[in-house]
Amino acid sequence: MNSPLPQSEFALNQAGQLLLIAGPCVLETRDLAFQIAEGLCDIAQRHPIQLVFKASYDKANRTSIHSYRGLGLEEGLKLLEAVRNEFGVPVTTDVHESYQAAPVGEVCDILQIPAFLARQTDLLVAAAETGKAVNVKKGQFMAPWDMKHVVEKLKEAGAKQIVLTERGTFFGYGRLVNDMRALIEMRSLGVPVVFDATHSVQEPGGLGSQTGGNRAMVAPLAKAAAAVGIDGLFLETHPNPDQSPSDGPNMVPLAELESLIDRVLAVRAAAQG
């Protein structure tokens, strides 16, 4: 077993490497979380990326009240801590309410703010006050330049490491589109920018009581974002996405992830060169 990462060790993009935030949509079992974390760590060892393991302990914004939400705060954080300790990899998860920020900050290296909550001032302040990095997903209803107010709130509350993530914009009912100019707009705010390739292909409510999606579009969008310029890539992955209780239609099969990373890195290197 690897030793736990010291709390002060994590820093964003120290060597200009691509930040890869990846993992299952929601925590299911210890065995599955470890299987995915092991696969991601193997990929990270072979590529110039900075890996952060992501999984949700609670999906508070599921379409249906009957949908699986996760393990809950206490059990979920225990499992995330176990992943962090076992594999020596930074971890992140999303917080939905202000009271969750402090306990999440004791375990996670990055606190993630869901897109629907990007304007929630109290939640942003609580996340910043943990002293951890904060990753805010741009609301699907927000203009990219309006994220300057999110950055200001976090800085005023003491956040030192801030990340903004693009995950698509509402285009009518049940569809998201990506305006790649948003990556440039948000980067101009002086913070790293991540592209969420899997949530960008969501079709909200597309399956009636569940969100649908089209994972075939993940690779084209990820490569396009890399060509425009990104500091990080967010991807959800699962050994068998169609068996996942959440966001299966959007997730990249774990066995196919390395090939996608190869292509994204190649595009990113060409764009930078």
Side-chain angles (χ1 to χ4, degrees), residues 9-110:
E9 185 173 319
F10 180 77
L12 291 167
N13 287 338
Q14 279 185 307
Q17 294 181 327
L18 180 72
L19 174 67
L20 176 64
I21 303 174
C25 177
V26 64
L27 289 168
E28 299 176 51
T29 67
R30 180 185 178 94
D31 287 346
L32 181 63
F34 274 37
Q35 178 186 354
I36 296 171
E38 182 176 17
L40 291 171
C41 287
D42 287 345
I43 293 172
Q45 289 179 351
R46 295 188 289 270
H47 297 81
I49 59 178
Q50 182 184 22
L51 174 66
V52 175
F53 178 86
K54 177 269 167 188
S56 299
Y57 56 81
D58 179 23
K59 302 301 293 185
N61 59 348
R62 297 301 304 275
T63 303
S64 170
I65 195 170
H66 302 294
S67 297
Y68 176 75
R69 289 181 53 166
L71 300 178
L73 179 64
E74 184 175 348
E75 291 303 313
L77 288 180
K78 286 181 181 178
L79 182 48
L80 286 168
E81 186 172 35
V83 169
R84 191 177 191 270
N85 291 344
E86 177 71 21
F87 297 97
V89 61
V91 298
T92 186
T93 194
D94 33 17
V95 293
H96 300 90
E97 299 186 58
S98 300
Y99 78 87
Q100 298 172 345
V104 170
E106 293 178 2
V107 172
C108 294
D109 302 271
I110 304 176

Side-chain angles (χ1 to χ4, degrees), residues 2-252:
N2 295 322
S3 299
L5 281 168
Q7 291 294 318
S8 61
E9 185 173 319
F10 180 77
L12 291 167
N13 287 338
Q14 279 185 307
Q17 294 181 327
L18 180 72
L19 174 67
L20 176 64
I21 303 174
C25 177
V26 64
L27 289 168
E28 299 176 51
T29 67
R30 180 185 178 94
D31 287 346
L32 181 63
F34 274 37
Q35 178 186 354
I36 296 171
E38 182 176 17
L40 291 171
C41 287
D42 287 345
I43 293 172
Q45 289 179 351
R46 295 188 289 270
H47 297 81
I49 59 178
Q50 182 184 22
L51 174 66
V52 175
F53 178 86
K54 177 269 167 188
S56 299
Y57 56 81
D58 179 23
K59 302 301 293 185
N61 59 348
R62 297 301 304 275
T63 303
S64 170
I65 195 170
H66 302 294
S67 297
Y68 176 75
R69 289 181 53 166
L71 300 178
L73 179 64
E74 184 175 348
E75 291 303 313
L77 288 180
K78 286 181 181 178
L79 182 48
L80 286 168
E81 186 172 35
V83 169
R84 191 177 191 270
N85 291 344
E86 177 71 21
F87 297 97
V89 61
V91 298
T92 186
T93 194
D94 33 17
V95 293
H96 300 90
E97 299 186 58
S98 300
Y99 78 87
Q100 298 172 345
V104 170
E106 293 178 2
V107 172
C108 294
D109 302 271
I110 304 176
L111 276 67
Q112 179 175 291
I113 307 298
F116 288 132
L117 302 176
R119 288 169 55 97
Q120 294 294 98
T121 302
D122 289 346
L123 182 60
L124 293 170
V125 169
E129 288 178 344
T130 66
K132 298 301 183 69
V134 182
N135 175 26
V136 184
K137 293 194 171 185
K138 179 180 74 65
Q140 303 94 322
F141 48 88
M142 292 178 67
W145 46 85
D146 287 336
M147 292 299 284
K148 67 182 180 182
H149 303 296
V150 172
V151 173
E152 288 173 0
K153 290 176 183 179
L154 290 169
K155 287 183 175 180
E156 286 288 331
K160 303 300 182 185
Q161 296 190 90
I162 301 169
V163 183
L164 298 181
T165 293
E166 166 63 26
R167 54 129 322 145
T169 300
F170 286 133
F171 186 70
Y173 298 123
R175 181 63 64 92
L176 300 171
V177 296
N178 283 104
D179 179 358
M180 294 298 176
R181 294 174 296 180
L183 298 169
I184 299 170
E185 291 275 2
M186 292 196 295
R187 214 181 205 181
S188 71
L189 301 176
V191 298
V193 171
V194 172
F195 180 69
D196 182 344
T198 47
H199 286 103
S200 288
V201 303
Q202 277 186 338
E203 296 172 359
L207 299 178
S209 62
Q210 299 178 42
T211 290
N214 182 4
R215 72 172 65 99
M217 292 293 105
V218 171
L221 287 176
K223 290 186 291 183
V228 171
I230 51 175
D231 302 286
L233 184 66
F234 181 106
L235 293 164
E236 288 185 337
T237 186
H238 193 283
N240 189 352
D242 292 332
Q243 297 300 314
S244 171
S246 178
D247 271 356
N250 317 313
M251 287 198 283
V252 178

